[in-house]
Amino acid sequence: MLWVVRSHAPAWLPAFLFAAVLFLSGCSLLPKTDAAESDATPSAVASEGRAAGAAFTVDVRAPDSVREHLERHLEIQRFRELDDLGAVEISRLMVAAEANARELLNILGYFTPTLTLELVDTPGGKAPREVRITVDPGPITHVSNVQVDFSGPIAEDPASESQRDGIRTGWTLRAGQPFSQQAWDNAKTTALRSLTARRYPTGSILTSLAEIDADRSEAKLSATYGSGPAYRFGPLVVNGSQRYPADNVRRLARVPTGSDYDQQQLLDAQQRLASSGYFDSVFLTLDTSGADPLAAPVIAQVREAPLQRVVLGVGFTTDSGARLSIDHSHNDMPLLGWRAVSKLTLDRDTQSLGTDWSAIPDDSGWRTFTSALLKSEVSGSYTVDSGRLRGGRNKADGHIDRSYFLQYDYARNVGFNPPPSASALTLNWGWIGRYFDNAAAPTRGQGLGLELAAGYTLTGEQLPFTRTVVRWVGFVPAGTVSNADRTQSRNARIQLRAEAGAVSAADRAQIPSTLNFLTGGDTTVRGYGYRTIGAVKPDGQVIAGRYLGVASVEWQRPFVYDGQLTAWESAVFVDVGAVADRPGDMEPKVGVGFGGRWASPIGPVQIDLAYGVQVHKFRLHVRLGFTF
């Protein structure tokens, strides 16, 4: 990076000042002469008899936009605690401090500041003297022109035109914006990331120049990027795997061999391996040291997880209170070679025992799975004891999950005058698309989920039925929130949620209650208990119903404290939900409230206080993480 600063000041003046500072600093290292001692002020002589302490304090008098930066980075601050400094030595430090302050102001984009430095005696203060620095930063420099050029294959390849245009369009320090060293560095780094993220992983910055016209407060920026050769994914090379064949790792990772290098695809492959459960650590890199960039090997450095693992967990939710869980995983089942994960969960309202078995994906990414679940849970006014068997195929491909499976359900309601027990067999198809900017803590994008099932009841009269569920969540930008000096900003947003479900069957069909619907709780209608909103029987009992509707509007806004953006956000929301056995009987239940969102180190934390309008009660809801 090169700065060129243009000013009408004589060219010899900066050199003279710099030489003077070096000379005076060097003189301060020589032994003091009697003449130097005689020049010391009476207060300096008196200070020799004081106890060890600060020699001086520094008072920076400047606008808020620059004061904190100067106070934190001025080098003269390092000498305050040297208690043997006299007025002469401090004056010499002040000469260097002026040049240092100008350099710090240049970093912020102020190239024509006016500075006044004074040494003031403060006999009754924290130190005998005070260095007072008064700053008028002058006008901030603005960018007048930006030129981004390319060298190498990217400059000539027509297939890279969109990438070139994207880098130029995404340049973050545009004409008309204030110039600062941080913004300049960020703009160059962001552009380099865009270059190396696709096709050109060895790209670099060849030249960069910030040409500053101090008298006009203008900056002309130029940068040239060298692309290096275009790369394509070659074969996957696995290091560290002992128990599992390399072909299994390849099928889990699904690196798109032969396609153009894409950093996101490499990260997705790494995430697939890391989340498979077979490895404790995974790191994927493209080997750019080979002779053929069109078949660059992908190196997978892995550390295998234990063959079997038991994990004990404790937790708490506002829906179900304290929770205890025991997880057991087996990564290589005898004979099958599948992975099995079994889990026992116990909390106030739910006790469940389940196991999931899954095979290694085939070359197309589809895997065979089977699962079994026994559960006892409070649903509406009843306790439901249920069982479920499921077997089929699924595929997770980028942001889309697909599945199809055969499922058997059995449910028995326990309580006063319960609905009859029921069982059913269904053929199911599921599709989930996640189009978020961040899957763990999204602020933009949307997600859509579809579930379709068709089957027959097995208890009582055997009758056909269908089940349909649609879920959607979306984030709509709602302005930008910045810190006091507008150097940082985050988007406010409106989060919209909607869910609809329907079970279509004859009235006399005995549908298992686990296939019907209940709502209410942390993730649905806040202000109501978990799964307490359902169809109401004539005697007032609440049961799972055949039709479901849920909608939510939530305004999320970054929280600013003391002029700075924090890790917190505020939220206000309205939730509406209804369940009934007939669409015409649906009576919406409304919850309103406010809350906070904290971007914690382990994931987003959601804390809400909601008021259930129909039940006339407040309820606290706490949730960790985001799932869709």
Side-chain angles (χ1 to χ4, degrees), residues 208-265:
S208 64
L209 174 67
E211 190 175 0
I212 308 297
D213 189 331
D215 296 315
R216 295 183 179 180
S217 299
E218 292 181 350
K220 294 182 179 179
L221 310 180
S222 62
T224 301
Y225 291 87
S227 66
Y231 280 78
R232 290 183 177 176
F233 289 119
L236 181 69
V237 178
V238 182
N239 296 327
S241 180
Q242 299 175 352
R243 186 181 305 120
Y244 312 115
D247 190 58
N248 284 9
V249 180
R250 177 187 62 80
R251 287 190 283 166
L252 285 167
R254 300 204 307 277
V255 176
T257 303
S259 64
D260 289 337
Y261 169 79
D262 189 309
Q263 185 181 63
Q264 187 58 53
Q265 291 185 340

Side-chain angles (χ1 to χ4, degrees), residues 265-596:
Q265 291 185 340
L266 192 66
L267 292 175
D268 290 343
Q270 178 174 293
Q271 180 59 35
R272 283 191 286 269
L273 284 176
S275 61
S276 67
Y278 289 94
F279 305 101
D280 278 341
S281 68
V282 178
F283 186 64
L284 263 62
T285 57
L286 186 75
D287 184 0
T288 58
S289 62
D292 186 6
L294 298 183
V298 176
I299 308 300
Q301 187 66 46
V302 301
R303 187 174 74 244
E304 293 180 344
L307 180 62
Q308 298 190 62
R309 173 179 288 172
V310 176
V311 178
L312 302 179
V314 293
F316 178 85
T317 68
T318 48
D319 278 338
S320 302
R323 171 177 294 180
L324 171 67
S325 64
I326 304 175
D327 294 61
H328 173 264
S329 61
H330 194 303
N331 285 339
D332 193 4
M333 296 176 63
L335 301 179
L336 285 176
W338 291 15
R339 183 169 190 264
V341 178
S342 303
K343 185 172 185 177
L344 172 67
T345 302
L346 304 171
D347 62 35
R348 182 184 62 205
D349 297 327
T350 304
Q351 300 81 46
S352 66
L353 175 63
T355 185
D356 292 276
W357 299 0
S358 57
I360 296 290
D362 59 22
D363 287 335
S364 63
W366 286 92
R367 73 166 76 209
T368 303
F369 73 93
T370 185
S371 66
L373 177 66
L374 294 175
K375 180 186 287 188
S376 177
E377 64 178 337
V378 176
S379 296
S381 300
Y382 299 94
T383 296
V384 178
D385 297 329
S386 63
R388 171 174 293 174
L389 295 173
R390 178 183 290 180
R393 307 254 293 167
N394 61 16
K395 178 181 181 180
D397 186 11
H399 55 268
I400 297 177
D401 294 349
R402 302 176 179 88
S403 63
Y404 60 88
F405 52 90
L406 188 67
Q407 179 171 298
Y408 168 79
D409 286 273
Y410 169 79
R412 182 173 68 93
N413 299 279
V414 179
F416 175 74
N417 191 23
S421 300
S423 59
L425 187 67
T426 55
L427 182 62
N428 298 260
W429 175 86
W431 184 95
I432 299 176
R434 301 177 181 90
Y435 306 90
F436 302 115
D437 60 334
N438 185 325
T443 59
R444 296 191 310 274
Q446 61 180 329
L448 177 64
L450 303 174
E451 299 176 26
L452 302 177
Y456 271 86
T457 61
L458 301 179
T459 303
E461 187 177 358
Q462 296 184 3
L463 296 171
F465 69 97
T466 62
R467 185 177 187 270
T468 305
V469 180
V470 180
R471 297 181 295 121
W472 177 81
V473 62
F475 295 87
V476 179
T480 301
V481 178
S482 305
N483 59 355
D485 56 8
R486 298 188 175 276
T487 57
Q488 294 179 325
S489 64
R490 291 208 310 267
N491 290 330
R493 70 204 73 87
I494 295 175
Q495 177 185 289
L496 303 173
R497 285 190 294 112
E499 183 176 3
V503 174
S504 300
D507 291 343
R508 63 185 185 277
Q510 296 183 26
I511 307 295
S513 58
T514 51
L515 295 179
N516 287 333
F517 304 104
L518 289 163
T519 192
D522 297 344
T523 61
T524 53
V525 184
R526 287 159 288 188
Y528 298 82
Y530 178 60
R531 294 171 61 87
T532 58
I533 300 175
V536 181
K537 296 172 61 178
D539 60 0
Q541 301 277 58
V542 176
I543 62 173
R546 294 187 177 185
Y547 294 91
L548 164 73
V550 175
S552 174
V553 178
E554 179 172 300
W555 181 37
Q556 303 170 351
R557 189 177 190 276
F559 186 72
V560 177
Y561 177 75
D562 196 22
Q564 300 297 319
L565 283 170
T566 69
W568 285 86
E569 295 184 341
S570 60
V572 292
F573 57 85
V574 178
D575 297 340
V576 181
V579 175
D581 277 331
R582 294 181 177 83
D585 294 337
M586 298 182 75
E587 297 183 0
K589 303 295 190 297
V590 180
V592 297
F594 63 92

Side-chain angles (χ1 to χ4, degrees), residues 17-34:
L17 290 175
F18 182 70
V21 170
L22 290 178
F23 176 76
L24 291 174
S25 300
C27 291
S28 67
L29 300 176
L30 298 175
K32 295 181 180 179
T33 64
D34 293 339

